[in-house]
Amino acid sequence: MSKKVLVIGAGPAGYVSAIRLAQLGLQVTVVEKEYLGGTCLNVGCIPSKALIAAGSLLHKIGEASTMGITATGVKLDVEKLVSWKAGIVAKLTGGVGGLLKNHKVEVVMGSASFVDRNTVNVKTKEGVKTIKADDIVIATGSVPIAIPGFAFDEDKVWSSTGALAPKRVPQHLVVIGGGYIGLELGMMYRKLGSKVTVLEATAGALPGQERDCVKVIERSMKKLGIELLTETFAQGYEHKDGKSFVRIKTKAGEKTIECDQIASTVGRKPYSEGLALDKAGLAVDAKGFLAVDKQMRTKIANIYAIGDIAGQPMLAHKGSKEGLVAAGVIAGHKEEYDARCVPAVIFTSPEMASVGLTEEQCAAAGKTIKTGSFPFAASGRAMSLMDTEGFVKIIADAKTDELLGVHMVGPEVTELVAEAALAIEMGATSEDLARTIHAHPTLPEAMMEAAEAVHGMAVHIYQKK
Ligand code: FAD
Ligand code: NAI
């Protein structure tokens, strides 16, 4: 009889792990309290990218007159947009259900709570069900952080979830937090027609990301007409006659901004409420994460943690990878999480993508580096797409030429970053990238040229010796 494994949470970490466990011949049960596909498929990655694609299309139509195309009578039907997005979510989450079924994974809809290290109680609609398992994988994800004075009512104050199911396009949207979600959704609403003001606590947008790339994003926000107020804190708001009055504190003093919608996107926190981890001998750390080793094992040998609950970066693909590792380990394979890099993609306008170390991180690690970059303004493909903002920047080790980091901002860089991730994962040098023939005319040529620029040999830009 094969081992019995229980996975708690069916997000991109949990459902991927469950499918792999079943592929490896184990008996698997998944417990999910809300929706198959978790945050990512239901209220995160997928719905946000659908709305962002719609915003970009609408914006592009407006710009098409440069190409000699003038479209008249272009209208936005918000209800239809939201139902199109919901259709994509339904198709994908239905697909996850189908995959779990085909792999003979038992799905129990309900909320799990530990009884001991091998047992959980699941509160279902029909009552409490007790499940015993040899191994348990915790994949309970994360939830949005609410700040004082801005409780989410998904009416006047949206979390990302409310912002992804609008009934109308706000006239003036105030976004608190200029991170991943604030910028992706703020830019999307601007393109759909809202006036947008972003309040960011730190000195610039997207703290922690490569600053040269962020400068391009900040410039583009300005061009789009988005106001970014840095070193600014929202203190609270009053609501009167359909308007919200947001009190803010900036370097220059305090003032009030009038708007008709607030979105608060100041980060997410790991979620373990109601799990009764103590019954299994576990506790979260000060930030709410469950500590794990390279095999995704918690301090209790038969309990694993994966995805957002297991630490930063809180990204879907990192959680899925951890899910695959945990499944392999549980099946008895010699496996550990040994990824050299986790790519990050931000669907701003232009897009931004990063993999490996930033210059700041290289300096902190005492590495001597050489860099090369190539602007999309010199790319024929970017010009033909009418999308020339941004660049690719490559950071290589000065002695060995090994790729340490690739950072880019510009057209379709969220796709381009896959090549950079593979190169770093394979231990490639910048010369390897430079010597690889890239098809013409394509955007990835910018990667090849940036790699050549590391050696002062880019052909399509002039590099002063
Ligand atoms: P989750 O997806 O949060 O899934 C956890 C699941 O566990 C949930 O379904 C929950 O209901 C369930 N659960 C919790 N407790 C229990 C319990 N006690 N019993 C039973 N079930 C339980 N990441 C990217 O990589 N790319 C993106 O483009 C991207 N865009 C995003 C956009 C938005 C607006 C948001 C909010 C997030 C985005 N993310 C993105 C982040 C991504 O969604 C998360 O990193 C990812 O969903 C984490 O996966 P997970 O499986 O760890 O957790
Ligand atoms: P975030 O951590 O990316 O950004 C939060 C921002 O809010 C930061 O810039 C922070 O300085 C600011 N902030 C914090 N408190 C504040 C305050 N009181 N007032 C003003 N600003 C304040 O968090 P976000 O955007 O909520 O996203 C959560 C996570 O979800 C991301 O970190 C990422 O892991 C994931 N995500 C990934 C996406 C992708 O991969 N494309 C897209 C969206 C989310």
Side-chain angles (χ1 to χ4, degrees), residues 176-177 179-181 184 199-202 207 265-268 314-315 345:
I176 309 172
Y180 272 77
I181 300 179
E184 284 190 357
L199 315 177
E200 166 55 40
T202 66
T265 57
V266 296
R268 293 178 63 83
M314 291 201 209
L315 297 174
V345 289

Side-chain angles (χ1 to χ4, degrees), residues 180 205-214 344 346 352-354 358 360:
Y180 272 77
L206 296 167
Q209 302 292 334
E210 223 279 337
R211 294 332 280 169
D212 287 346
C213 293
V214 175
I346 313 183
M352 187 174 150
S354 256
T358 61
E360 279 172 14

Side-chain angles (χ1 to χ4, degrees), residues 56-76:
S56 295
L57 181 59
L58 190 62
H59 186 69
K60 200 88 180 169
I61 292 171
E63 287 186 332
S65 59
T66 311
M67 289 176 168
I69 302 167
T70 309
T72 51
V74 180
K75 274 195 211 130
L76 172 66

Side-chain angles (χ1 to χ4, degrees), residues 336-419:
E336 60 178 38
Y337 184 90
D338 64 351
R340 298 176 84 164
C341 57
V342 181
V345 289
I346 313 183
F347 293 77
T348 40
S349 169
E351 294 177 348
M352 187 174 150
S354 256
V355 62
L357 302 178
T358 61
E359 279 198 57
E360 279 172 14
Q361 287 165 337
C362 288
K367 290 188 184 292
T368 44
I369 58 165
K370 47 190 182 173
T371 65
S373 59
F374 186 82
F376 283 110
S379 152
R381 181 63 183 142
M383 276 183 227
S384 69
L385 292 169
M386 215 173 65
D387 215 345
T388 53
E389 238 177 313
F391 57 84
V392 174
K393 171 169 158 182
I394 288 180
I395 304 173
D397 188 295
K399 288 190 210 103
T400 63
D401 193 37
E402 190 179 341
L403 288 171
L404 298 175
V406 181
H407 308 278
M408 40 189 135
V409 57
E412 290 171 40
V413 296
T414 54
E415 308 287 333
L416 262 56
V417 75
E419 179 185 1

